[in-house]
Amino acid sequence: MKRKIYEKLINWKNNGMKKPLMIIGARQVGKTYIINEFCNKEYKNAIQINLLNHPEIVELYKQNISLEEKYIRLCANLNINPNVEDTIIFFDEIQESEELISSLKWYCEDERPFKIICAGSLLGVKLKRFNSSFPVGKVEMINMFPMDFEEFLMTQNNGEYLIEYIKKCFLENSPMDEITHEKLLELYRKYLCIGGMPEMVEDFVSKNMNILDINRNIIEDINSAYIKDMNKFIINKTEAVKNEAIYYSIPIQIGNKSNKFQYSKIDKNARRRDYNDSLEWLLASKLVYKCCKLNSINIPPEAYKNNEFFKIYIGDVGILNTMLKMNVNDIYLNKTFLYKGEITENYVANQLMFNNVDLYYWAVASSSEIDFIIYNEDGIIPIEVKASDNTQSKSLNEYMKRFKPKYAIRISGKNFGFENGIKSVPLYATFLVKWYERFKIK
């Protein structure tokens, strides 16, 4: 399956630098698959070393010998010629060896003609609690996420055509023909059911895109593996229990009328100081994403975010629906139910994150809220999210009168268009919101 991160891997290869590359992402988002594909396609000599299968290499890097000697022994152990041109070494599950991670500085500075790429499960958590010396400035890091809706469309027979058509309508603010618009909304609802985990998408494609035939056990097993992971890289067992308690509270938290994450939803006696480390664990694992409230609508928004008031979203909408035990038909047939707005909001948060858009929101008490705020070359832009084609919004009107943004974006079931300073973006085109550098309001 095609993944957009491949272009970033190519850019890293061609940048002329020797910095090792570290891919960070949650379990099962496709890190090993895409890195292997890249290594085998782009290099004559590709060597994969999974540290889970090579405990002797983990032990080697613990030895009190020079990094040069460690590398010589590594090459001898694996029958690697260190002087062959066009060679790449892929260290998978690199979180198993802090010493090897620390040695990446040496790999960066060594003059041998090879490049290093690495990835691992819970690597973000491991680095957050790193005890060794991390090679700051000597490693390039890229975040990898589940498949966004654009990548999901790439699995369709006419996916490339649909993507180009969506981009054209997005740039021109011109409505799509109704037949294709409805078809894409149907595909969007199917995506809500399965999410963007590659194994789940692959199963969906293998079942001829019949949403009723998908194997729900796949995503349930992935989520179960996430729960098991909560016993790794923890301070103590109590923290693992807290990790799980926060994680399972999030579906309830998304619908909070208070417009913020509340520790009391975990336990009535819960306090921030008791759960802060666990929340940081979940964020570092990329299982969940944080969206901070802005105290002030000013540039840059990062300087005005409130770390005490925030929302938390599940890292994949398919996993959210699994946690909710949603009936597939209720989503696919577009039935009306109260929680639909929360699922849609989580979907939009996912699509923004997957496309490297920082998450912020704005609210005044519980009376007015803007779901997301983005910062681009046109300034600070509000984004309103609607689960259907009902586009009435008191909050967005209030925001526009108060802050007078250059324009606003409304993501909903409505077709493309631009009216009264609001750019209408259908839910299936959310992945393009980052595309502001090619989109100008006249």
Side-chain angles (χ1 to χ4, degrees), residues 1-145:
M1 290 185 289
K2 293 182 180 179
R3 300 301 303 271
K4 294 192 289 187
I5 196 174
Y6 198 92
E7 184 178 346
K8 294 182 180 180
L9 300 181
I10 293 294
N11 290 339
W12 168 73
K13 177 190 177 184
N14 296 333
N15 68 11
M17 299 179 69
K18 275 291 300 281
K19 281 186 180 182
L21 179 63
M22 185 177 287
I23 306 297
I24 298 176
R27 179 192 289 272
Q28 299 293 324
V29 297
K31 299 186 297 296
T32 300
Y33 169 83
I34 199 64
I35 294 172
N36 274 329
E37 184 178 33
F38 166 74
C39 292
N40 291 323
K41 280 185 178 181
E42 306 299 334
Y43 291 86
K44 290 182 181 178
N45 305 289
I47 302 155
Q48 183 193 22
I49 304 169
N50 187 318
L51 294 187
L52 287 175
N53 301 329
H54 289 279
E56 75 280 4
I57 294 176
V58 177
E59 291 304 313
L60 168 64
Y61 275 83
K62 289 180 179 179
Q63 294 183 28
N64 189 25
I65 56 177
S66 70
L67 290 172
E68 174 77 23
E69 180 64 22
K70 290 178 181 179
Y71 180 66
I72 291 172
R73 294 187 188 184
L74 172 71
C75 293
N77 181 292
L78 298 170
N79 196 26
I80 298 171
N81 185 340
N83 298 309
V84 176
E85 296 283 347
D86 204 19
T87 294
I88 188 166
I89 302 174
F90 170 28
F91 289 109
D92 203 3
E93 304 296 350
I94 198 172
Q95 79 283 346
E96 296 299 311
S97 175
E98 284 198 12
E99 294 79 10
L100 181 49
I101 294 174
S102 295
S103 75
L104 293 178
K105 177 181 178 181
W106 181 86
Y107 282 105
C108 176
E109 297 173 346
D110 189 78
E111 295 182 358
R112 290 180 178 85
F114 62 83
K115 298 196 85 168
I116 299 290
I117 191 168
C118 52
S121 301
L122 298 179
L123 188 50
V125 175
K126 183 68 175 181
L127 297 180
K128 198 85 173 180
R129 299 180 175 182
F130 205 64
N131 294 315
S132 304
S133 174
F134 185 77
V136 178
K138 301 297 182 178
V139 177
E140 187 171 335
M141 291 189 278
I142 297 177
N143 289 317
M144 186 171 181
F145 301 96

Side-chain angles (χ1 to χ4, degrees), residues 129 175 351 358:
R129 299 180 175 182
Q351 299 303 298
D358 294 323

Side-chain angles (χ1 to χ4, degrees), residues 279-370:
L279 181 56
E280 289 301 317
W281 190 101
L282 288 169
L283 291 168
S285 72
K286 305 298 182 184
L287 299 186
V288 304
Y289 310 131
K290 187 177 186 179
C291 178
C292 286
K293 178 183 175 182
L294 293 178
N295 288 329
S296 179
I297 303 298
N298 283 295
I299 295 173
E302 187 69 13
Y304 298 94
K305 71 178 184 181
N306 188 335
N307 283 308
E308 302 294 321
F309 288 79
F310 55 86
K311 298 181 184 180
I312 299 292
Y313 296 101
I314 294 294
D316 175 74
V317 71
I319 290 177
L320 171 64
N321 284 319
T322 296
M323 294 170 72
L324 292 167
K325 300 182 180 180
M326 283 293 305
N327 186 317
V328 167
N329 267 334
D330 287 337
I331 296 174
Y332 177 57
L333 298 178
N334 202 24
K335 293 183 180 179
T336 299
F337 54 94
L338 190 61
Y339 199 85
K340 185 189 290 188
E342 282 74 19
I343 293 173
T344 307
E345 188 177 326
N346 200 107
Y347 159 81
V348 171
N350 289 166
Q351 299 303 298
L352 295 176
M353 279 296 298
F354 298 173
N355 287 281
N356 300 307
V357 178
D358 294 323
L359 300 182
Y360 308 104
Y361 75 102
W362 175 84
V364 178
S366 59
S367 62
S368 185
E369 177 190 358
I370 298 298

